[in-house]
Amino acid sequence: MPGVSVKDKVVLISGSNRGIGKSFAIQALEMGAKKVYAGARDESQLAELIAKYGDKIVPIALDVTNQDHIDAAAAAARDVEILINNAGMGGGGPAVSNPNPDGQRMEMKVNYFGIMNLSSAFAPILKENGGGAIVNILSVAALSSFAFAPGYSASKAAGRSLTQALRVELGGQNTLVSGVFPGPVDTDMAKNVPMDKVSPDSVAIHVYEEIAKGSEDIYPDPFAVQFAKGVQADAKAVEKANAAGF
Ligand SMILES: NC(=O)c1ccc[n+]([C@@H]2O[C@H](COP(=O)([O-])OP(=O)(O)OC[C@H]3O[C@@H](n4cnc5c(N)ncnc54)[C@H](OP(=O)(O)O)[C@@H]3O)[C@@H](O)[C@H]2O)c1
C-alpha cells in the first residue's frame, strides 16, 4: 500500500483533548495537515487547541461508545482522509483478584468496538476520498498479555486482530491500515507506571513519519521496538517476563 503523508490532509482523531490524541492533533497541523476534526467527549477541553490553531481545529462531540455520535461525526466530516483511532482506556483490573467487570467491559467497548464502529462508519468516506489511512493506536499489550491488566490486554489484542482484518477488507479501496504498538508514554494513562516514558509528541511524529512510508506495524519508542523483537524471537519468554513484572 502506498504511504499517506499527513501534509495537506484532513485528519479525524478520537480522544484528541489530551494525551497522545492531543499530540496527534498538534503534530498533524505542525506537519502541514489541512484540517483536524478533533474528537472529544467534552468539547470544552479542546479550547487550548482551538486558541492555538483556530478554524484548522474542528471540534467533534465523540464518545466512541455512542453510535449516535459516530453517525453524526460521519455525517459532518465527509472530507476525512486519515482516521486515527486513538481513544482508549484501562482500569478493568486483574482477572480474578479484585476485578472490575464494568471496567473490563468498557475496555472492550472503547478499545475494540470503538475502533470497529468508527472504522466502519468512515471506511466509505475514506474510499470516496481516494483511500487514505486508518491508524489504530494499540499497545505492546496487544502482543503479550500483562497480568495486571487482562481486559486491557485482551482489548488491544482484539484491536490488533481487527487491524489485520480491516487491512484485508479495505485493501481493495486503497486504504492503508496501520497498527501502532506503543510502550510507556508520558500521559495520564501511564502516570502510575514506574518506567521510562517517551513523550506523546514523539509518538505522534513517529507515526506520521511511518504512515508516510506505508508502514503497517509501527513501534514508536525504544521499549516497543525491543518488546516486539522479544516476542518475535521467543513469545513464551516475553509472556514469562511480563508475568514476573517490571
Ligand atoms: N500512555 C501509554 O503509556 C500508552 C501506551 C500504549 C498505548 N496507549 C494507548 O494510546 C491511546 C491514548 O492514550 P493516552 O496515553 O493518551 O491516554 P489518556 O491520556 O488517558 O487519554 C485517553 C483519551 O481517550 C479518550 N477516551 C476514553 N474513553 C473514551 C470514549 N469512550 N470515547 C472517546 N474518547 C475516549 C479520553 O477522553 P476523556 O478525556 O474524555 O476521558 C482521552 O482523550 C489509548 O488507546 C491507549 O490505550 C497508551
Side-chain angles (χ1 to χ4, degrees):
M1 194 63 65
V4 179
S5 164
V6 73
K7 192 168 171 9
D8 297 323
K9 295 291 192 309
V10 177
V11 187
L12 187 143
I13 302 156
S14 63
S16 65
N17 53 303
R18 61 190 172 102
I20 302 173
K22 187 173 181 183
S23 288
F24 272 122
I26 291 168
Q27 296 306 329
L29 293 170
E30 295 296 332
M31 293 170 87
K34 200 190 294 174
K35 179 165 73 180
V36 167
Y37 288 105
R41 291 196 286 190
D42 174 0
E43 290 172 87
S44 72
Q45 292 185 15
L46 299 169
E48 194 188 313
L49 283 175
I50 294 167
K52 184 157 186 210
Y53 294 105
D55 59 10
K56 288 194 168 187
I57 294 280
V58 181
I60 289 268
L62 185 57
D63 180 332
V64 301
T65 67
N66 184 325
Q67 191 61 43
D68 290 342
H69 285 193
I70 292 174
D71 293 343
R78 307 298 303 173
D79 49 354
V80 170
E81 296 164 288
I82 300 175
L83 166 66
I84 302 191
N85 283 308
N86 164 77
M89 53 82 64
V96 177
S97 51
N98 198 25
N100 168 5
D102 289 342
Q104 289 170 350
R105 262 188 290 277
M106 191 54 87
E107 286 169 331
M108 204 52 96
K109 271 183 160 177
V110 175
N111 302 345
Y112 173 68
F113 285 107
I115 296 179
M116 172 82 89
N117 295 335
L118 261 180
S119 300
S120 167
F122 276 90
I125 294 172
L126 296 174
K127 181 181 183 187
E128 189 70 21
N129 296 329
I134 294 178
V135 182
N136 296 332
I137 311 308
L138 306 171
S139 164
V140 289
L143 307 176
S144 190
S145 180
F146 291 85
F148 62 84
Y152 180 80
S153 301
S155 70
K156 293 295 184 177
R160 177 182 180 224
S161 183
L162 172 60
T163 300
Q164 293 169 330
L166 285 170
R167 189 171 293 139
V168 175
E169 204 178 346
L170 303 183
Q173 67 170 50
N174 212 31
T175 300
L176 172 68
V177 180
S178 301
V180 182
F181 302 88
V185 184
D186 193 8
T187 67
D188 293 344
M189 182 179 280
K191 66 175 183 289
N192 295 322
V193 176
M195 295 171 73
D196 287 345
K197 294 166 217 169
V198 297
S199 73
D201 280 341
S202 71
V203 172
I205 291 167
H206 185 83
V207 168
Y208 288 132
E209 287 173 350
E210 288 299 313
I211 64 168
K213 295 184 221 161
S215 300
E216 294 181 347
D217 301 306
I218 301 174
Y219 307 98
D221 57 87
F223 182 91
V225 172
Q226 276 311 111
F227 195 94
K229 273 192 193 151
V231 170
Q232 225 167 23
D234 188 345
K236 194 47 110 174
V238 174
E239 180 188 325
K240 286 185 175 155
N242 279 359
F246 296 103

